[in-house]
Amino acid sequence: SLRFPQKLWKMLESGKFQSIWWTEGGKCVAINKDLFEVEVLGREGQQVFHTQKIKSFIRQLNAYGFTKVQRNFQRSASLPEFLAEEAAASAHSQILYYYNPSFNRAHPWLSETCKRR
């Protein structure tokens, strides 16, 4: 069984989910809260994170050193990321952004250092 950071990494890299993606060149994780609740947490019999509540998922993020960041930095440079962010923003859904210095798409080995507090 994979630890929380590895499950999160695998999910982000799979491309199977519309509700969660990398931003800022792979330095942040963006979560479309409403869609995530349906698409990931609401999966019958195929639970990824052993919870159906967004608060519990966020508690896990915090336990592994992720911090919520305000979205006032630059838009993504890559077109797919930019379009995903634009589509999400136009849906008026709440997008949550989380950052962990040890969770970076360009440095996958760092996720091994994400330890539960």
Side-chain angles (χ1 to χ4, degrees):
S1 174
L2 295 173
R3 291 174 41 243
F4 179 83
Q6 283 72 36
K7 286 181 187 178
L8 183 62
W9 186 279
K10 201 171 170 184
M11 174 177 275
L12 284 159
E13 289 295 304
S14 76
K16 293 179 185 171
F17 300 93
Q18 307 262 309
S19 59
I20 186 166
W21 63 94
W22 292 105
T23 66
E24 304 314 305
K27 292 185 179 86
C28 277
V29 176
I31 302 163
N32 178 324
K33 185 177 158 283
D34 299 336
L35 186 56
F36 189 81
E37 287 181 294
V38 174
E39 184 182 50
V40 177
L41 302 178
R43 298 176 85 185
E44 296 283 325
Q46 292 184 304
Q47 293 225 303
V48 182
F49 295 107
H50 306 295
T51 184
Q52 293 179 314
K53 295 182 173 34
I54 191 76
K55 282 186 178 181
S56 298
F57 176 76
I58 290 169
R59 210 173 291 124
Q60 283 279 78
L61 284 171
N62 293 329
Y64 280 94
F66 286 82
T67 53
K68 190 174 181 181
V69 290
Q70 293 305 314
R71 183 62 182 192
N72 52 9
F73 31 81
Q74 298 268 323
R75 283 277 187 202
S76 296
S78 83
L79 184 60
E81 281 185 24
F82 178 78
L83 292 174
E85 290 165 17
E86 284 300 305
S90 69
H92 301 296
S93 294
Q94 188 179 358
I95 309 298
L96 308 173
Y97 298 92
Y98 283 88
Y99 170 77
N100 181 327
S102 299
F103 201 81
N104 185 316
R105 190 178 197 178
H107 308 292
W109 59 90
L110 284 177
S111 70
E112 292 297 323
T113 66
C114 288
K115 301 287 184 219
R116 192 171 172 84
R117 288 181 185 164

